[in-house]
Amino acid sequence: MNILVINCGSSSLKYQLIDMKEETVLAKGLVERIGIEGSRIKHDTTGKERVTIEEPMKDHKRALELVLNAILDKNYGAISSLDEIAAIGHRILHGGEDFVQPALITNEVIEAIRKNIVLAPLHNPAGLMGIEACRDLMPDTPMVVVFDTAFHQTMPAENYIYPIPYEYYEKYKIRRYGFHGTSHKYVSLRAAEILNKDIKNLNIVTCHLGNGSSIAAVKGGKCIDTSMGLTPLEGLPMGTRSGDIDPAIIPFIMDKEGITTSAEINDFLNKKSGVLGISGISSDFRDLEDAAEAGNERAKLALNIFCNGVRKYVAAYAAQMGSIDVLVFTAGIGENSSYVRERSCKGLECLGLIIDHELNDVRGKEAILSKNIVGPTIMVIPTNEELMIARDTLDIVNNR
Ligand code: AMP
């Protein structure tokens, strides 16, 4: 049974066709510049040469049409008929409080996603465009939506209500939602699988460290707390996002710099802050590590602030869960940067988290980084959000 996974941005579309029998990727690709000049698809069918298809794509529907043509192409395609696609899984950023798990797409579900646009004005509309395009082109194929927020809906109220007047939660649903849920779910399940333990008996802290970074406390397979909040701006300092700061800094800077609009504030907090803002060099951790090695003090400072943030959240979440059995690193930085992993774990020896310098010299593959036989295990697990979406899709379709 093949599942097509679709992840739409405002001008992009990522896709993967996965054969669920062996969970193998048959084809995958990326469409860029939808609705802009220079639209193109980079398409890879497993075992065949990559092709780049350059053609105007005025909207997501046209992009998807060309993606389906690519998947069906005699020379570089992966299947011979659309009937071989059993279901489609869509990633949507924000499910608000309406979705605690993936859902079969119906008109009511689409309405609920639309209602939550207010919480994700840039992302949910793009996801909806992908859903509409698939409905037009493959009306009889069942579709499932998987939300980035759903995994975190198990948090208790004391971890998602903000200490501001309660009426704002009631009026506007201002609360912690958390993001990267599909990734936190995948790596926590995979950690239990690798360790051959029942996830119900494990306290796991998952660190998704990439361009956007978040940490989650996963107790017995359920998320009880996470670092991102109402939006993906809260929590760790990130590539260009500030993460946690004193909220009073915002009116202070507005007064000093004569800033009057929320758009300008959003711009500086989301695009000019984080490790880019601190270092003045780059948002990319490879550049920062190179600069720090060459003696750049602000690059060192940015890396230290980031690693301090990771350490604080790990310790706080271990305390919230009462203990920690597994610490997982994933995503671009978590999977690749031995520097960040080692520095973040400094001080966590007090919780029994002892990273081994040699075992930590690993990049982009599943590995155990701790040697101790008793006490918690530190791991790297490359995330696989597409596979998690495909599994969830299959699950929902099979249990309709
Ligand atoms: P992601 O958002 O998960 O794709 O992560 C992207 C980020 O991972 C990049 O911006 C880099 O900061 C980081 N990254 C990727 N490769 C490495 C590496 N070898 N060493 C350090 N950081 C890396």
Side-chain angles (χ1 to χ4, degrees):
M1 194 185 233
N2 302 327
I3 307 279
L4 180 63
V5 176
I6 304 269
N7 181 357
C8 282
S10 54
S11 64
S12 68
L13 188 160
K14 279 194 261 180
Y15 60 95
Q16 267 193 23
L17 181 66
I18 302 178
D19 178 351
M20 296 308 285
K21 214 173 349 149
E22 301 284 334
E23 297 193 333
T24 45
V25 176
L26 300 177
K28 63 180 178 182
L30 169 67
V31 191
E32 293 169 298
R33 304 181 64 85
I34 300 171
I36 324 172
E37 211 180 311
S39 321
R40 62 170 176 254
I41 303 176
K42 285 183 195 148
H43 174 86
D44 282 290
T45 289
T46 306
K48 296 185 181 172
E49 223 161 272
R50 165 182 282 193
V51 287
T52 302
I53 301 151
E54 290 179 5
E55 212 172 294
M57 295 173 221
K58 65 175 173 27
D59 54 24
H60 284 71
K61 186 173 169 192
R62 182 65 188 144
L64 192 70
E65 242 166 20
L66 294 173
V67 165
L68 295 176
N69 288 348
I71 288 174
L72 292 172
D73 190 89
K74 273 205 201 82
N75 298 317
Y76 51 80
I79 52 173
S80 51
S81 156
L82 285 185
D83 294 339
E84 292 174 52
I85 299 176
I88 303 173
H90 290 270
R91 174 186 177 249
I92 292 276
L93 187 79
H94 220 306
E97 288 191 324
D98 295 299
F99 296 99
V100 297
Q101 54 193 22
L104 194 70
I105 295 180
T106 59
N107 290 338
E108 293 73 43
V109 165
I110 290 181
E111 252 340 284
I113 298 170
R114 204 162 270 139
K115 192 184 89 188
N116 285 309
I117 284 179
V118 64
L119 294 169
L122 297 178
H123 294 89
N124 276 19
L128 277 169
M129 283 193 278
I131 292 174
E132 299 293 358
C134 286
R135 276 190 137 192
D136 283 351
L137 296 168
M138 300 172 70
D140 299 324
T141 308
M143 295 199 289
V144 169
V145 62
V146 179
F147 297 93
D148 240 27
T149 49
F151 182 62
H152 304 300
Q153 279 292 307
T154 45
M155 282 187 287
E158 64 257 36
N159 289 342
Y160 71 70
I161 292 293
Y162 287 115
I164 57 174
Y166 195 78
E167 67 187 88
Y168 295 130
Y169 168 61
E170 294 174 313
K171 268 208 275 195
Y172 307 119
K173 292 288 170 212
I174 292 177
R175 51 158 285 179
R176 178 184 309 287
Y177 289 97
F179 298 87
H180 299 136
T182 308
S183 176
H184 290 292
K185 181 176 172 184
Y186 174 80
V187 298
S188 55
L189 285 168
R190 184 73 192 127
E193 196 175 46
I194 293 169
L195 297 172
N196 201 17
K197 292 198 170 143
D198 186 345
I199 197 164
K200 289 205 176 73
N201 302 322
L202 291 177
N203 288 342
I204 308 176
V205 174
T206 47
C207 303
H208 178 110
L209 311 179
N211 248 333
S213 294
S214 69
I215 302 194
V218 184
K219 189 172 179 61
K222 293 198 157 54
C223 176
I224 63 152
D225 205 354
T226 190
S227 58
M228 282 180 169
L230 172 73
T231 74
L233 181 58
E234 194 184 347
L236 293 168
M238 302 174 219
T240 60
R241 294 177 228 162
S242 67
D244 302 329
I245 58 168
D246 179 350
I249 292 171
I250 295 167
F252 188 94
I253 292 183
M254 288 178 86
D255 288 348
K256 290 283 179 202
E257 298 275 314
I259 296 175
T260 52
T261 66
S262 55
E264 284 172 280
I265 284 292
N266 267 327
D267 192 59
F268 108 73
L269 291 174
N270 280 292
K271 298 197 179 138
K272 299 189 177 133
S273 299
V275 292
L276 170 69
I278 302 164
S279 68
I281 292 177
S282 172
S283 61
D284 192 305
F285 278 61
R286 286 163 288 202
D287 299 338
L288 294 176
E289 287 179 26
D290 289 346
E293 210 175 350
N296 185 297
E297 287 303 322
R298 269 171 55 192
K300 274 189 219 168
L301 180 63
L303 288 169
N304 284 345
I305 291 172
F306 181 82
C307 296
N308 282 354
V310 175
R311 185 182 315 120
K312 276 194 213 174
Y313 271 106
V314 172
Y317 289 169
Q320 279 211 55
M321 292 191 290
S323 66
I324 177 165
D325 300 304
V326 190
L327 174 63
V328 185
F329 288 101
T330 194
I333 302 162
E335 290 165 27
N336 291 298
S337 175
S338 43
Y339 177 96
V340 166
R341 291 191 301 252
E342 193 152 338
R343 268 209 101 76
S344 300
C345 286
K346 248 191 159 58
L348 294 176
E349 298 85 358
C350 64
L351 299 172
L353 290 158
I354 303 161
I355 197 162
D356 182 84
H357 185 71
E358 263 104 57
L359 293 179
N360 185 37
D361 188 14
V362 67
R363 175 165 295 178
K365 59 176 190 191
E366 289 180 350
I368 291 180
L369 311 181
S370 49
K371 265 188 178 158
N372 47 306
I373 296 162
V374 288
T377 308
I378 308 173
M379 308 175 81
V380 174
I381 301 180
T383 194
N384 195 338
E385 288 162 281
E386 289 79 13
L387 179 58
M388 194 72 247
I389 292 171
R391 283 182 187 164
D392 283 343
T393 301
L394 187 65
D395 208 32
I396 296 268
V397 169
N398 281 344
N399 292 306
R400 276 184 291 172

